Amino acid sequence: MSKKPVVIAGGGPVGLVTALALARQGIEVVLLEAESQIPQDLRAGTFHPPTVEMLDRLGLGNAMLEQGIKVPEWQIRDRRTGVVAQFDLGLLADVTPHPFRLHCEQHKLSRIAADVLVSMPNVKLLFGHRCTGFVQDAEGVTVKVQSENGEDEIRASWLVGTDGAHSVVRKGMNVEFDGFTWPERFLVFATPYDLREQGFTGNAYVADPDEWCAIFIQPHKGPPGIWRIAFPTKPEMSEEEILSDAFVQSRIQGFLAPDREYEIAYRSVYRVHQRVASDFRDGRVLIAGDAAHINNPLGGMGLNSGIHDGVNLAEKLTVVFEGASQDLLDRYVRQRRLTNIEYVQAITIRNKRLLEERDPAVRKEHLDELRQTAADPARARAYLLNSSMIASIARAREIQ
Ligand SMILES: Cc1cc2nc3c(=O)[nH]c(=O)nc-3n(C[C@H](O)[C@H](O)[C@H](O)COP(=O)(O)OP(=O)(O)OC[C@H]3O[C@@H](n4cnc5c(N)ncnc54)[C@H](O)[C@@H]3O)c2cc1C
């Protein structure tokens, strides 16, 4: 058994959870995070039932449940005609102790996990330390690190890259990051205006050929929370135009009341991709989370699938540390890569195409089908097993 630590490059939510899952098994972990503290930007905010279960098993569940908002019901709407389908995760109460989406900012998970990690004797959390590359041999990995103290090297038994979409670790593995980038950028803004007054549940997707949107409530300075709304934008628009008051107000006024101004607490614009790395392993180097795959946020699956990677990988690395064959790590790749393609990529692409469908006849056909699905408990249950990511976890278990 190697005495060298596992080095994790990237202290986002996936890196921190992976570190904790390993450290709970007594494995020595060094976590490198390039930033000097946990990034606070508003990104993922939806946790699906299997993810809450995993966080619970790591001892983080109660803190997350205390800080988040439970959303048991969510809607698909047509912008012109209103609610098309409303799904109730209560239908899954027999298969999960958490039959709801938990809405909570990802930086809160990072903070909760980091607070546990700092108290563990087998963990070193190194903020302000950037991984700049690595060299590996049959016995281990030499990880190159840059900090305010200059350049250094750490010898690791394994290197796990959880350093996000632009992963230095993935680039060092020389794998492809296959997929595509959507032409339109997404505008995301937040308003304290309570959409429940208009009949919205805490999460809703609104179909429209030009102004489809995704809506979800987030905790914000106590109840009732704040509403985050994502819209597509035209490729030719400048960032300044997209973020202007006039454009943001026009989006929200377009589907609420046109004759009033809404308070906007936050706004940003970002580019969206669908990509999966051609391999998640190169010898003693592995990747997880956004370093391994990225997708659009429609369905809230990016961060969730990253956490599923981290927990799966930690289980296998633990067994390898105990003497099992390293080939077990290829099963991690098969399970997580395939389910990302079959579920996360497929569902998020389908969700986007559903919302933006331009052909009225096709749109009607798709929305009618969803309406019928929601009205039939057996079909609704099958639909919810997919959209809550329970089916993808079950599928991964089948993959040898
Ligand atoms: C606007 C937006 C909305 C989103 N909404 C959702 C959602 O609703 N639901 C969902 O599931 N997902 C959502 N996502 C996706 C989600 O945010 C990501 O999937 C998630 O952040 C991935 O976590 P990660 O830890 O893999 O990567 P990151 O969060 O990107 O973390 C990577 C970390 O590595 C650090 N780092 C980078 N390079 C290095 C290096 N060389 N050395 C050391 N450290 C390094 C970075 O500073 C960062 O802290 C959204 C994304 C965006 C942009």
Side-chain angles (χ1 to χ4, degrees):
M1 184 169 120
S2 173
K3 296 259 189 304
K4 298 292 176 203
V6 174
V7 170
I8 297 182
V14 174
L16 289 159
V17 167
T18 308
L20 184 59
L22 286 165
R24 288 268 192 235
Q25 299 305 319
I27 291 172
E28 205 186 323
V29 177
V30 177
L31 186 138
L32 309 171
E33 166 53 44
E35 299 295 329
S36 56
Q37 52 192 333
I38 289 170
Q40 296 287 314
D41 54 331
L42 283 181
R43 293 179 60 184
T46 303
F47 294 87
H48 290 292
T51 316
V52 183
E53 286 177 48
M54 288 175 196
L55 298 177
D56 216 11
R57 285 196 291 275
L58 290 171
L60 309 179
N62 285 344
M64 288 294 290
L65 289 166
E66 273 165 24
Q67 297 194 32
I69 298 178
K70 291 180 188 175
V71 178
E73 291 178 318
W74 57 276
Q75 298 171 333
I76 295 179
R77 291 173 159 248
D78 180 283
R79 186 170 147 139
R80 293 175 185 82
T81 59
V83 179
V84 171
Q86 183 157 320
F87 291 96
D88 182 353
L89 280 149
L91 279 176
L92 304 183
D94 59 329
V95 291
T96 174
H98 307 295
F100 46 81
R101 292 180 171 195
L102 184 69
H103 287 194
C104 185
E105 304 92 311
Q106 70 177 49
H107 61 78
K108 287 193 177 146
L109 167 61
S110 296
R111 168 55 52 213
I112 292 165
D115 285 349
V116 178
L117 286 164
V118 286
S119 66
M120 298 181 82
N122 53 334
V123 176
K124 263 193 210 155
L125 272 189
L126 301 177
F127 283 91
H129 284 66
R130 179 178 294 277
C131 168
T132 55
F134 61 86
V135 180
Q136 64 170 314
D137 53 58
E139 306 304 318
V141 189
T142 302
V143 183
K144 299 179 183 182
V145 183
Q146 172 102 48
S147 72
E148 60 180 16
N149 302 324
E151 292 185 4
D152 203 354
E153 290 183 348
I154 302 176
R155 185 71 178 159
S157 53
W158 299 89
L159 169 64
V160 180
T162 51
D163 47 344
H166 303 288
S167 174
V168 163
V169 175
R170 184 188 68 241
K171 288 172 187 161
M173 290 163 67
N174 211 11
V175 297
E176 298 301 316
F177 204 27
D178 301 322
F180 65 91
T181 298
W182 295 100
E184 67 274 54
R185 284 155 297 164
F186 283 26
L187 162 68
V188 183
F189 60 86
T191 176
Y193 175 78
D194 192 352
L195 271 82
R196 280 174 292 218
E197 286 175 17
Q198 305 288 332
F200 282 80
T201 49
N203 184 202
Y205 299 95
V206 183
D208 185 82
D210 298 305
E211 295 183 33
W212 57 262
C213 64
I215 298 172
F216 65 106
I217 195 167
Q218 290 277 274
H220 183 66
K221 298 178 192 154
I226 195 162
W227 295 78
R228 282 186 62 197
I229 311 182
F231 276 98
T233 63
K234 292 203 164 63
E236 63 273 18
M237 287 182 79
S238 71
E239 194 164 318
E240 201 184 353
E241 273 178 283
I242 293 170
L243 294 174
S244 67
D245 281 341
F247 187 69
V248 172
Q249 289 294 336
S250 74
R251 297 301 94 168
I252 187 166
Q253 287 167 342
F255 77 102
L256 294 176
D259 51 356
R260 58 160 289 181
E261 291 276 306
Y262 293 87
E263 183 185 336
I264 304 298
Y266 164 88
R267 65 191 78 184
S268 76
V269 60
Y270 69 103
R271 207 165 267 296
V272 185
H273 318 262
Q274 307 283 159
R275 294 184 187 276
V276 182
S278 52
D279 204 339
F280 293 5
R281 179 182 176 206
D282 176 3
R284 289 180 168 269
V285 181
L286 297 121
I287 46 174
D290 273 20
H293 45 74
I294 44 179
N295 54 271
N296 79 61
L298 302 172
M301 294 190 164
L303 172 59
N304 285 268
S305 57
I307 292 172
H308 302 177
D309 294 345
V311 169
N312 183 313
L313 176 57
E315 279 168 11
K316 294 189 170 62
L317 263 181
T318 301
V319 184
V320 169
F321 255 75
E322 286 162 359
S325 162
Q326 295 180 12
D327 293 349
L328 188 58
L329 297 169
D330 293 328
R331 187 167 177 229
Y332 157 74
V333 181
R334 287 192 294 276
Q335 289 180 318
R336 296 305 312 157
R337 188 171 176 278
L338 204 63
T339 49
N340 195 278
I341 293 167
E342 286 179 354
Y343 287 82
V344 176
Q345 300 297 326
I347 292 174
T348 57
I349 291 171
R350 192 185 64 207
N351 286 347
K352 183 168 180 294
R353 298 232 153 99
L354 171 90
L355 295 182
E356 70 189 5
E357 179 55 56
R358 302 202 79 81
D359 182 328
V362 177
R363 186 167 70 245
K364 182 176 179 319
E365 186 190 326
H366 289 164
L367 294 180
D368 281 350
E369 195 183 326
L370 274 168
R371 192 177 283 113
Q372 288 155 16
T373 301
D376 175 342
R379 284 174 65 185
R381 183 183 163 84
Y383 185 83
L384 284 169
L385 286 169
N386 272 329
S387 56
S388 67
M389 304 186 81
I390 293 174
S392 69
I393 298 283
R395 167 77 178 116
R397 263 190 235 112
E398 291 170 5
I399 300 170
Q400 288 309 308

